[in-house]
């Protein structure tokens, strides 16, 4: 991963956003720009300065991580003197950008009144995120490692469905398999939604026992070196009813059409349309109640959005999910999701677990 080059790519964007410097408050953006993973820190990016300020808990870690990433930043450790350190560094900077979606109202007031009284604070939006949207080879390798780990965890846990576990038990087994295989954790709270619960796209696993005749939506991912994977498979315990079979067929075809549409210079809205048209034709348009997908990286949900109302256009290095679904309370839910990386020609799926849904004795 080329962490050290990222600040150099950010600097030219600052002038375009009307600022002479940027105070990075988003911890995930600080991680992206410096490699520092602590839970508290502020990063000041100026044309001729890069200053990371954190507190004593992270003195050694910050030093180690900056060195490991090859990032030439000044590191200052202080609990109570951060205002003075940053105030001094900002002096002479006319317009200081803040990350509008990361700072709170209270923080902004404090920065304006106390920390940087002589600077003009400028709201900025998506400056670092617009770099993060294109993943380098090292980032893709991490997402892919997370995806493969999650694939293996599902293969391990799948046979347990025949033992009649509760949703919560199956979810715990999946999470445990993910951790035991070396992930730092899951990339978000695992979804296990069986039977009627499957009609709630983000159902939290509960005490319901999974049994014969259930569709089971499993949506989960692993976290490897800070990077997320995201995959949904819908399994069928026993024989599907005709409607359940049709739901499985339609959603699988819709998802395939969406993945086939992913390519450079394609609007993400067109990927959404490719998925939606298959479900519309089946008469279930109203039962596809969410967008088609989202970017995946250091965060489980990031740019670009893949939805009818999205305005993004795909480019090589984007990593997105394609996850159409149909939710019918009387029959259950079906969602199929892959995470794919956009290549020069089209895309390459990173999540590879088989899509065969049937689990039978
Ligand atoms: Zn998912
Ligand atoms: Zn997703």
């Amino acid at each position: 991963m080329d962490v050290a080059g990222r600040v150099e790519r950010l600097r030219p964007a600052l002038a375009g956003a009307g600022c002479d410097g940027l105070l990075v408050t988003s911890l995930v953006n600080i991680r992206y720009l410096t490699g520092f993973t602590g839970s508290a820190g502020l990063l000041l990016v100026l044309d001729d300065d890069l200053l990371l300020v954190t507190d004593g808990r992270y003195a050694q870690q910050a030093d180690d991580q900056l060195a490991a990433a090859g990032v030439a930043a000044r590191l200052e450790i202080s609990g109570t003197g951060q205002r003075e350190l940053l105030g001094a560094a900002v002096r002479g900077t006319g317009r200081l950008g803040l990350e509008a979606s990361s700072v709170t109202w209270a923080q902004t007031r404090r920065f304006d009144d106390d920390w940087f009284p002589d600077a003009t604070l400028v709201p900025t939006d998506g400056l670092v995120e617009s770099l993060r949207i294109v993943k380098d080879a090292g980032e893709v390798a991490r997402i892919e490692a997370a995806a493969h780990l999650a694939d293996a965890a599902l293969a391990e846990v799948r046979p347990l469905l025949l033992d009649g576990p509760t949703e919560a038990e199956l979810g715990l087994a999946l999470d445990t398999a993910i951790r035991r295989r070396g992930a730092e954790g899951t990339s978000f709270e695992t979804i296990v939604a069986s039977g009627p619960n499957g009609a709630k796209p983000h159902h939290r696993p509960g005490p319901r026992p999974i049994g014969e005749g259930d569709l089971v939506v499993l949506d989960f991912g692993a976290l490897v070196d800070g990077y997320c994977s995201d995959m949904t498979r819908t399994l069928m315990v026993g024989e599907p009813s005709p409607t359940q079979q049709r739901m499985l067929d339609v959603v699988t075809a819709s998802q395939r059409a969406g993945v086939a549409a992913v390519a450079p210079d394609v609007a993400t809205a067109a990927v959404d349309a490719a998925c939606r048209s298959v479900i519309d034709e089946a008469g279930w348009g109203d039962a596809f109640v969410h967008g088609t997908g989202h970017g995946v990286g250091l965060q489980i949900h990031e740019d670009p959005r893949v939805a009818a109302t999205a305005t993004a256009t795909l480019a090589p290095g984007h990593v997105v999910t394609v996850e159409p679904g149909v939710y019918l309370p009387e029959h259950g839910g079906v969602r199929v999701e892959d995470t794919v990386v956009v290549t020069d020609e089209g895309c390459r799926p990173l999540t590879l677990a088989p899509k065969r849904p049937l689990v039978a004795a």
Side-chain angles (χ1 to χ4, degrees):
M1 269 193 319
D2 172 28
V3 177
R6 291 170 180 168
V7 166
E8 284 317 312
R9 293 205 302 281
L10 173 65
R11 283 190 169 116
L14 299 187
C19 44
D20 308 310
L22 180 68
L23 183 68
V24 184
T25 46
S26 155
L27 288 170
V28 64
N29 285 344
I30 292 174
R31 176 182 191 151
Y32 179 77
L33 294 170
T34 68
F36 173 63
T37 63
S39 68
L42 293 166
L43 180 71
L44 178 67
V45 182
L46 300 176
D47 271 343
D48 54 358
D49 197 6
L50 181 63
L51 171 62
L52 176 62
V53 178
T54 184
D55 63 72
R57 293 172 297 168
Y58 295 115
Q60 185 65 50
Q61 177 184 327
D63 197 41
D64 291 348
Q65 289 179 324
L66 288 175
V71 172
R74 286 201 293 135
L75 175 62
E76 294 281 4
I77 306 298
S78 176
T80 55
Q82 299 194 354
R83 178 170 72 106
E84 285 71 26
L85 286 164
L86 284 160
V90 162
R91 206 153 294 139
T93 302
R95 296 170 63 81
L96 178 66
L98 296 182
E99 296 184 292
S101 57
S102 153
V103 286
T104 62
W105 174 253
Q107 257 181 326
T108 307
R109 295 284 300 270
R110 208 159 50 237
F111 288 152
D112 206 7
D113 295 344
D114 300 340
W115 289 46
F116 314 117
D118 300 329
T120 302
L121 300 185
V122 180
T124 69
D125 184 36
L127 287 177
V128 182
E129 287 80 357
S130 66
L131 298 178
R132 281 171 48 196
I133 196 170
V134 176
K135 274 71 181 173
D136 68 26
E139 294 182 282
V140 172
R142 284 162 176 79
I143 298 168
E144 188 162 25
H148 290 177
L149 201 148
D151 288 345
L154 177 60
E156 177 185 328
V157 164
R158 198 182 156 105
L160 299 180
L161 271 168
L162 294 173
D163 303 338
T166 65
E167 293 172 347
E169 286 166 346
L170 191 71
L172 180 61
L174 200 45
D175 293 355
T176 305
I178 286 170
R179 291 295 294 265
R180 206 182 316 105
R181 288 169 182 274
E184 293 156 21
T186 56
S187 53
F188 59 97
E189 195 180 341
T190 295
I191 294 168
V192 181
S194 67
N197 292 334
K200 295 172 263 181
H202 273 193
H203 174 71
R204 299 175 75 165
R208 184 181 184 279
I210 299 170
E212 194 80 14
D214 282 347
L215 286 164
V216 186
V217 178
L218 299 171
D219 189 350
F220 62 101
L223 192 64
V224 170
D225 201 12
Y227 283 83
C228 300
S229 74
D230 191 6
M231 174 171 75
T232 307
R233 291 292 181 266
T234 300
L235 304 180
M236 178 70 220
V237 183
E239 279 302 307
S241 71
T243 301
Q244 287 172 328
Q245 183 63 58
R246 186 157 168 265
M247 290 167 76
L248 289 163
D249 292 344
V250 167
V251 173
T252 304
S254 162
Q255 202 266 349
R256 203 181 301 125
V259 171
V262 173
D265 302 320
V266 171
T268 61
V271 176
D272 183 89
C275 285
R276 213 162 284 280
S277 68
V278 174
I279 293 175
D280 281 344
E281 270 167 42
W284 282 327
D286 291 344
F288 178 12
V289 294
H290 52 73
T292 284
H294 52 87
V296 177
L298 287 169
Q299 288 175 300
I300 188 64
H301 291 137
E302 54 181 57
D303 293 337
R305 273 190 330 120
V306 183
T309 55
T311 54
T313 300
L314 294 169
H318 287 188
V319 173
V320 294
T321 69
V322 179
E323 50 179 308
V326 166
Y327 309 92
L328 302 173
E330 332 72 272
H331 304 282
V334 175
R335 180 166 69 255
V336 177
E337 172 182 30
D338 283 314
T339 298
V340 305
V341 56
V342 181
T343 61
D344 289 339
E345 303 81 33
C347 74
R348 183 167 69 83
L350 302 178
T351 44
L352 301 176
K355 296 197 176 76
R356 59 188 161 79
L358 299 193
V359 180

